[in-house]
Amino acid sequence: MTTMNRRNFIATLGLAGSAALLAGCSNDTAAPADDATTTDDTASDEPSYTLVKEGVLTNVAELGFAPFEYIDEDGNTVGFDVDLSNALAEHMGLSSCEWLPNQAFDTLVPTIQQGGKADISIAGMTITDERLEQVDFTDPYLASNQGLILPAGSSETEDTLNAADKQIACQSGTTGDEWISEHLPNATKVPLQDVTAGLMGVQTGLYTAMVIDLPVAQNMISQSFSDLEVAIEIPTGEQYGIAVSKDNPGLKDALNDALAALEEDGTMDDIKQKWFGTTEI
């Protein structure tokens, strides 16, 4: 998510042992800083790059996209992407990770493009040609499809949903948003900022259906929306990547090196197991 592509929804899947992988990194939400610093590793073969704050990997995301990033009941930013960012920072020798306050999903790419506030956006974000015109992406770190969400037992199909009286919710600016425009052009699309609000709307009958990233749909249905179901798995074949400024190529290279190392040493599988209960995702 795309686009896809999120509020006080709590989804906790976990193996507590994985926390040991993330020692030394913070999940606190931080205010942006003005003092950018440069990591210069020219004496070694490691890439040099600029950070908003010295020794800190500053993230920006829409913090309602469980299980990737969300605010837990204690007010902490948690999730798969949070643990991954922490592990990346640790591998890169940084002291901590920080998260900016919650932002709308469709503002994340412009924030990275403009620079000065966040180093990366790791936010369950699909690599697309349109986004690549504005920012760079790391190598993919996770694959995803989209899911069409309906009330359990609904007789609606893709054909019956393609009508003006059918309201189809999505998160604004996501690949789900794009899919509705392309495949359900006659339906009434309802772009929202909040995934949970969309699912609640389907649950109450306000919206007929919703299209969101499949891992998010599966997680939220299993946790809080058992009366909904993934009626159709939409095989979009998306790849999630970490958005980085085009003016900071060394950071992208350093993140790619770290991603490869985490795959090789098993850390990535440990984080997948913690948040999805499987490594096959």
Side-chain angles (χ1 to χ4, degrees):
M1 205 181 241
T2 32
T3 24
M4 315 216 211
N5 319 192
R6 294 173 183 195
R7 257 17 57 216
N8 291 321
F9 172 77
I10 302 167
T12 306
L13 294 169
L15 300 175
S18 296
L21 297 168
L22 311 173
C25 290
S26 167
N27 62 1
D28 295 338
T29 299
D34 295 329
D35 53 326
T37 60
T38 300
T39 300
D40 187 358
D41 295 311
T42 53
S44 68
D45 292 331
E46 298 178 6
S48 61
Y49 50 84
T50 298
L51 295 174
V52 172
K53 295 175 66 175
E54 183 176 2
V56 177
L57 189 62
T58 304
N59 302 260
V60 63
E62 196 280 315
L63 302 176
F65 201 54
F68 290 96
E69 45 273 325
Y70 63 97
I71 307 297
D72 70 8
E73 57 189 347
D74 297 319
N76 296 316
T77 304
V78 298
F80 175 89
D81 284 341
V82 178
D83 283 2
L84 178 55
S85 183
N86 287 340
L88 290 169
E90 183 176 10
H91 182 83
M92 293 162 65
L94 302 177
S95 61
S96 65
C97 300
E98 292 182 353
W99 292 75
L100 298 186
N102 179 56
Q103 287 191 199
F105 185 82
D106 56 10
T107 69
L108 300 180
V109 167
T111 296
I112 295 300
Q113 183 181 26
Q114 292 163 11
K117 292 184 178 180
D119 302 308
I120 64 172
S121 181
I122 179 169
M125 186 182 296
T126 300
I127 302 168
T128 67
D129 290 341
E130 181 180 2
R131 290 171 181 160
L132 282 167
E133 293 177 359
Q134 302 172 72
V135 295
D136 282 339
F137 279 94
T138 63
D139 296 333
Y141 67 88
L142 204 72
S144 177
N145 288 320
Q146 292 291 301
L148 178 69
I149 313 307
L150 290 167
S154 172
S155 61
E156 296 281 3
T157 66
E158 187 173 331
D159 287 339
T160 64
L161 289 170
N162 193 26
D165 63 336
K166 303 300 173 67
Q167 297 201 13
I168 316 298
C170 61
Q171 189 172 34
S172 180
T174 63
T175 46
D177 189 336
E178 295 174 0
W179 187 88
I180 295 170
S181 295
E182 182 176 353
H183 294 273
L184 301 175
N186 298 320
T188 301
K189 183 172 67 175
V190 185
L192 304 167
Q193 297 299 335
D194 191 332
V195 168
T196 304
L199 291 174
M200 290 179 65
V202 177
Q203 188 178 55
T204 61
L206 179 62
Y207 310 126
T208 312
M210 185 172 190
V211 177
I212 56 174
D213 290 33
L214 184 63
V216 176
Q218 292 170 329
N219 177 270
M220 297 182 81
I221 287 172
S222 70
Q223 296 296 318
S224 298
F225 295 94
S226 59
D227 52 349
L228 303 181
E229 65 181 2
V230 179
I232 302 174
E233 180 173 340
I234 304 167
T236 50
E238 300 171 37
Q239 299 286 326
Y240 291 169
I242 303 170
V244 185
S245 170
K246 288 182 177 291
D247 295 328
N248 206 0
L251 180 56
K252 181 185 73 172
D253 293 341
L255 289 165
N256 280 336
D257 290 346
L259 282 170
L262 297 182
E263 288 282 3
E264 185 174 352
D265 68 14
T267 300
M268 183 70 82
D269 280 347
D270 288 340
I271 300 173
K272 288 178 180 178
Q273 187 69 44
K274 174 182 177 180
W275 290 102
F276 301 109
T278 179
T279 61
E280 301 300 317
I281 186 170

Short mmCIF file of all heavy atoms in Angstrom, two decimals, residues 99-136:
data_model
loop_
_atom_site.label_atom_id
_atom_site.label_comp_id
_atom_site.label_asym_id
_atom_site.label_seq_id
_atom_site.Cartn_x
_atom_site.Cartn_y
_atom_site.Cartn_z
N TRP A 99 9.77 7.92 16.46
CA TRP A 99 8.62 8.00 15.56
C TRP A 99 7.96 9.36 15.70
O TRP A 99 7.67 9.79 16.82
CB TRP A 99 7.62 6.88 15.86
CG TRP A 99 8.18 5.54 15.50
CD1 TRP A 99 9.12 4.83 16.19
CD2 TRP A 99 7.86 4.78 14.34
NE1 TRP A 99 9.41 3.67 15.53
CE2 TRP A 99 8.65 3.60 14.40
CE3 TRP A 99 6.98 4.96 13.27
CZ2 TRP A 99 8.59 2.62 13.41
CZ3 TRP A 99 6.92 3.99 12.29
CH2 TRP A 99 7.72 2.84 12.36
N LEU A 100 7.75 10.02 14.59
CA LEU A 100 7.02 11.29 14.62
C LEU A 100 5.56 11.03 14.98
O LEU A 100 5.07 9.91 14.86
CB LEU A 100 7.09 11.98 13.25
CG LEU A 100 8.48 12.38 12.73
CD1 LEU A 100 8.33 13.16 11.44
CD2 LEU A 100 9.26 13.17 13.77
N PRO A 101 4.85 12.06 15.41
CA PRO A 101 3.41 11.89 15.67
C PRO A 101 2.68 11.37 14.44
O PRO A 101 3.12 11.58 13.30
CB PRO A 101 2.96 13.31 16.04
CG PRO A 101 4.18 13.97 16.58
CD PRO A 101 5.31 13.42 15.78
N ASN A 102 1.59 10.70 14.68
CA ASN A 102 0.79 10.10 13.62
C ASN A 102 0.49 11.08 12.49
O ASN A 102 0.13 12.23 12.72
CB ASN A 102 -0.52 9.60 14.22
CG ASN A 102 -1.43 8.98 13.20
OD1 ASN A 102 -1.05 8.05 12.50
ND2 ASN A 102 -2.65 9.48 13.10
N GLN A 103 0.66 10.61 11.24
CA GLN A 103 0.33 11.40 10.06
C GLN A 103 -0.59 10.61 9.13
O GLN A 103 -0.53 9.38 9.09
CB GLN A 103 1.60 11.77 9.27
CG GLN A 103 2.45 12.82 9.93
CD GLN A 103 3.54 13.35 9.01
OE1 GLN A 103 4.52 13.92 9.47
NE2 GLN A 103 3.38 13.18 7.71
N ALA A 104 -1.40 11.31 8.38
CA ALA A 104 -2.23 10.66 7.36
C ALA A 104 -1.33 9.95 6.34
O ALA A 104 -0.27 10.45 5.98
CB ALA A 104 -3.11 11.69 6.66
N PHE A 105 -1.79 8.79 5.88
CA PHE A 105 -0.96 7.98 4.99
C PHE A 105 -0.55 8.74 3.73
O PHE A 105 0.59 8.63 3.27
CB PHE A 105 -1.69 6.69 4.62
CG PHE A 105 -0.87 5.75 3.81
CD1 PHE A 105 0.04 4.89 4.40
CD2 PHE A 105 -0.98 5.72 2.42
CE1 PHE A 105 0.82 4.03 3.65
CE2 PHE A 105 -0.22 4.86 1.66
CZ PHE A 105 0.69 4.01 2.28
N ASP A 106 -1.49 9.52 3.16
CA ASP A 106 -1.18 10.18 1.90
C ASP A 106 -0.25 11.38 2.06
O ASP A 106 0.10 12.02 1.07
CB ASP A 106 -2.45 10.57 1.15
CG ASP A 106 -3.40 11.44 1.95
OD1 ASP A 106 -3.01 11.91 3.05
OD2 ASP A 106 -4.54 11.66 1.50
N THR A 107 0.20 11.67 3.30
CA THR A 107 1.20 12.73 3.51
C THR A 107 2.61 12.17 3.70
O THR A 107 3.57 12.94 3.78
CB THR A 107 0.85 13.58 4.75
OG1 THR A 107 1.03 12.79 5.95
CG2 THR A 107 -0.57 14.10 4.69
N LEU A 108 2.75 10.85 3.77
CA LEU A 108 4.04 10.26 4.14
C LEU A 108 5.10 10.46 3.05
O LEU A 108 6.23 10.87 3.33
CB LEU A 108 3.87 8.78 4.45
CG LEU A 108 2.91 8.44 5.60
CD1 LEU A 108 2.83 6.93 5.79
CD2 LEU A 108 3.32 9.13 6.88
N VAL A 109 4.74 10.16 1.81
CA VAL A 109 5.71 10.33 0.71
C VAL A 109 6.12 11.80 0.57
O VAL A 109 7.32 12.10 0.46
CB VAL A 109 5.15 9.76 -0.60
CG1 VAL A 109 5.99 10.22 -1.79
CG2 VAL A 109 5.13 8.23 -0.53
N PRO A 110 5.19 12.76 0.57
CA PRO A 110 5.61 14.16 0.52
C PRO A 110 6.52 14.56 1.69
O PRO A 110 7.44 15.37 1.51
CB PRO A 110 4.28 14.92 0.57
CG PRO A 110 3.29 13.99 -0.04
CD PRO A 110 3.71 12.63 0.43
N THR A 111 6.28 14.02 2.88
CA THR A 111 7.14 14.34 4.02
C THR A 111 8.56 13.89 3.78
O THR A 111 9.53 14.63 4.05
CB THR A 111 6.58 13.69 5.30
OG1 THR A 111 5.32 14.26 5.61
CG2 THR A 111 7.52 13.92 6.49
N ILE A 112 8.74 12.68 3.26
CA ILE A 112 10.09 12.18 2.97
C ILE A 112 10.70 12.96 1.81
O ILE A 112 11.89 13.30 1.82
CB ILE A 112 10.05 10.67 2.64
CG1 ILE A 112 9.60 9.88 3.87
CG2 ILE A 112 11.42 10.19 2.17
CD1 ILE A 112 10.49 10.03 5.09
N GLN A 113 9.91 13.27 0.81
CA GLN A 113 10.41 14.02 -0.35
C GLN A 113 10.92 15.39 0.06
O GLN A 113 11.98 15.85 -0.41
CB GLN A 113 9.30 14.15 -1.39
CG GLN A 113 9.74 14.85 -2.68
CD GLN A 113 8.60 14.98 -3.67
OE1 GLN A 113 7.44 15.01 -3.30
NE2 GLN A 113 8.93 15.04 -4.96
N GLN A 114 10.20 16.07 0.94
CA GLN A 114 10.58 17.42 1.36
C GLN A 114 11.79 17.41 2.27
O GLN A 114 12.58 18.35 2.27
CB GLN A 114 9.38 18.08 2.06
CG GLN A 114 8.23 18.38 1.11
CD GLN A 114 6.92 18.64 1.84
OE1 GLN A 114 6.89 18.78 3.06
NE2 GLN A 114 5.83 18.68 1.08
N GLY A 115 11.95 16.35 3.07
CA GLY A 115 13.12 16.22 3.93
C GLY A 115 13.05 17.09 5.17
O GLY A 115 12.20 17.96 5.31
N GLY A 116 13.99 16.80 6.09
CA GLY A 116 14.14 17.63 7.27
C GLY A 116 13.36 17.21 8.49
O GLY A 116 13.63 17.68 9.60
N LYS A 117 12.38 16.32 8.33
CA LYS A 117 11.56 15.90 9.48
C LYS A 117 11.78 14.44 9.84
O LYS A 117 11.82 14.09 11.02
CB LYS A 117 10.08 16.13 9.19
CG LYS A 117 9.69 17.60 9.09
CD LYS A 117 8.19 17.73 8.90
CE LYS A 117 7.77 19.20 8.85
NZ LYS A 117 6.29 19.34 8.65
N ALA A 118 11.87 13.58 8.84
CA ALA A 118 12.03 12.15 9.08
C ALA A 118 13.05 11.59 8.11
O ALA A 118 13.18 12.07 6.98
CB ALA A 118 10.69 11.43 8.93
N ASP A 119 13.75 10.55 8.55
CA ASP A 119 14.73 9.89 7.69
C ASP A 119 14.06 8.89 6.76
O ASP A 119 14.45 8.76 5.60
CB ASP A 119 15.78 9.17 8.55
CG ASP A 119 16.49 10.09 9.50
OD1 ASP A 119 17.01 11.12 9.03
OD2 ASP A 119 16.54 9.79 10.71
N ILE A 120 13.08 8.16 7.29
CA ILE A 120 12.43 7.11 6.51
C ILE A 120 10.94 7.08 6.81
O ILE A 120 10.49 7.57 7.84
CB ILE A 120 13.03 5.71 6.82
CG1 ILE A 120 12.77 5.32 8.28
CG2 ILE A 120 14.51 5.67 6.49
CD1 ILE A 120 13.15 3.88 8.62
N SER A 121 10.20 6.47 5.90
CA SER A 121 8.83 6.06 6.19
C SER A 121 8.75 4.56 5.98
O SER A 121 8.88 4.07 4.86
CB SER A 121 7.82 6.77 5.29
OG SER A 121 6.50 6.37 5.62
N ILE A 122 8.60 3.85 7.08
CA ILE A 122 8.38 2.41 7.04
C ILE A 122 6.96 2.21 7.54
O ILE A 122 6.68 2.35 8.73
CB ILE A 122 9.44 1.63 7.85
CG1 ILE A 122 9.16 0.13 7.81
CG2 ILE A 122 9.60 2.17 9.25
CD1 ILE A 122 10.30 -0.72 8.37
N ALA A 123 6.03 1.93 6.63
CA ALA A 123 4.62 2.09 6.96
C ALA A 123 3.73 1.15 6.17
O ALA A 123 2.63 1.53 5.76
CB ALA A 123 4.21 3.54 6.68
N GLY A 124 4.18 -0.08 5.93
CA GLY A 124 3.39 -0.98 5.09
C GLY A 124 3.10 -0.35 3.75
O GLY A 124 1.99 -0.45 3.22
N MET A 125 4.11 0.28 3.17
CA MET A 125 3.94 1.07 1.95
C MET A 125 4.41 0.29 0.73
O MET A 125 5.55 -0.16 0.66
CB MET A 125 4.71 2.39 2.05
CG MET A 125 4.47 3.33 0.89
SD MET A 125 5.45 4.85 0.99
CE MET A 125 4.78 5.60 2.48
N THR A 126 3.53 0.16 -0.24
CA THR A 126 3.84 -0.55 -1.47
C THR A 126 4.73 0.31 -2.38
O THR A 126 4.50 1.51 -2.53
CB THR A 126 2.55 -0.91 -2.22
OG1 THR A 126 1.75 -1.74 -1.38
CG2 THR A 126 2.85 -1.64 -3.52
N ILE A 127 5.71 -0.32 -2.97
CA ILE A 127 6.56 0.34 -3.96
C ILE A 127 5.76 0.47 -5.26
O ILE A 127 5.33 -0.53 -5.83
CB ILE A 127 7.85 -0.47 -4.21
CG1 ILE A 127 8.62 -0.66 -2.90
CG2 ILE A 127 8.73 0.22 -5.26
CD1 ILE A 127 9.74 -1.68 -3.00
N THR A 128 5.56 1.70 -5.73
CA THR A 128 4.85 1.92 -6.98
C THR A 128 5.64 2.89 -7.85
O THR A 128 6.47 3.66 -7.35
CB THR A 128 3.44 2.52 -6.74
OG1 THR A 128 3.57 3.85 -6.22
CG2 THR A 128 2.64 1.67 -5.77
N ASP A 129 5.37 2.85 -9.15
CA ASP A 129 6.06 3.76 -10.07
C ASP A 129 5.77 5.21 -9.73
O ASP A 129 6.65 6.07 -9.80
CB ASP A 129 5.62 3.47 -11.52
CG ASP A 129 6.14 2.14 -12.04
OD1 ASP A 129 7.12 1.61 -11.45
OD2 ASP A 129 5.57 1.62 -13.01
N GLU A 130 4.54 5.50 -9.35
CA GLU A 130 4.17 6.87 -9.00
C GLU A 130 4.96 7.37 -7.80
O GLU A 130 5.47 8.49 -7.80
CB GLU A 130 2.68 6.95 -8.71
CG GLU A 130 2.19 8.35 -8.37
CD GLU A 130 0.70 8.40 -8.08
OE1 GLU A 130 0.05 7.34 -8.11
OE2 GLU A 130 0.18 9.50 -7.82
N ARG A 131 5.08 6.56 -6.78
CA ARG A 131 5.84 6.96 -5.59
C ARG A 131 7.33 7.07 -5.88
O ARG A 131 8.03 7.90 -5.30
CB ARG A 131 5.57 5.97 -4.46
CG ARG A 131 4.16 6.08 -3.92
CD ARG A 131 3.83 4.97 -2.96
NE ARG A 131 2.45 5.09 -2.49
CZ ARG A 131 1.75 4.11 -1.95
NH1 ARG A 131 2.29 2.91 -1.82
NH2 ARG A 131 0.52 4.31 -1.56
N LEU A 132 7.82 6.21 -6.78
CA LEU A 132 9.24 6.26 -7.13
C LEU A 132 9.62 7.54 -7.86
O LEU A 132 10.79 7.87 -7.96
CB LEU A 132 9.61 5.04 -7.98
CG LEU A 132 9.79 3.73 -7.21
CD1 LEU A 132 9.84 2.55 -8.17
CD2 LEU A 132 11.06 3.79 -6.35
N GLU A 133 8.64 8.25 -8.37
CA GLU A 133 8.92 9.55 -8.97
C GLU A 133 9.25 10.59 -7.90
O GLU A 133 9.89 11.60 -8.19
CB GLU A 133 7.72 10.02 -9.79
CG GLU A 133 7.45 9.18 -11.03
CD GLU A 133 6.21 9.63 -11.77
OE1 GLU A 133 5.55 10.59 -11.30
OE2 GLU A 133 5.90 9.03 -12.83
N GLN A 134 8.85 10.34 -6.66
CA GLN A 134 9.02 11.31 -5.58
C GLN A 134 10.09 10.92 -4.57
O GLN A 134 10.77 11.78 -4.01
CB GLN A 134 7.69 11.50 -4.85
CG GLN A 134 6.55 11.96 -5.75
CD GLN A 134 5.22 11.95 -5.03
OE1 GLN A 134 4.96 12.79 -4.18
NE2 GLN A 134 4.36 10.99 -5.36
N VAL A 135 10.21 9.61 -4.30
CA VAL A 135 11.16 9.14 -3.31
C VAL A 135 11.83 7.87 -3.81
O VAL A 135 11.38 7.27 -4.79
CB VAL A 135 10.47 8.83 -1.95
CG1 VAL A 135 9.89 10.10 -1.34
CG2 VAL A 135 9.39 7.76 -2.11
N ASP A 136 12.90 7.47 -3.14
CA ASP A 136 13.51 6.17 -3.38
C ASP A 136 12.92 5.16 -2.41
O ASP A 136 12.37 5.52 -1.36
CB ASP A 136 15.02 6.23 -3.18
CG ASP A 136 15.75 6.85 -4.36
OD1 ASP A 136 15.17 6.87 -5.47
OD2 ASP A 136 16.88 7.32 -4.18
#
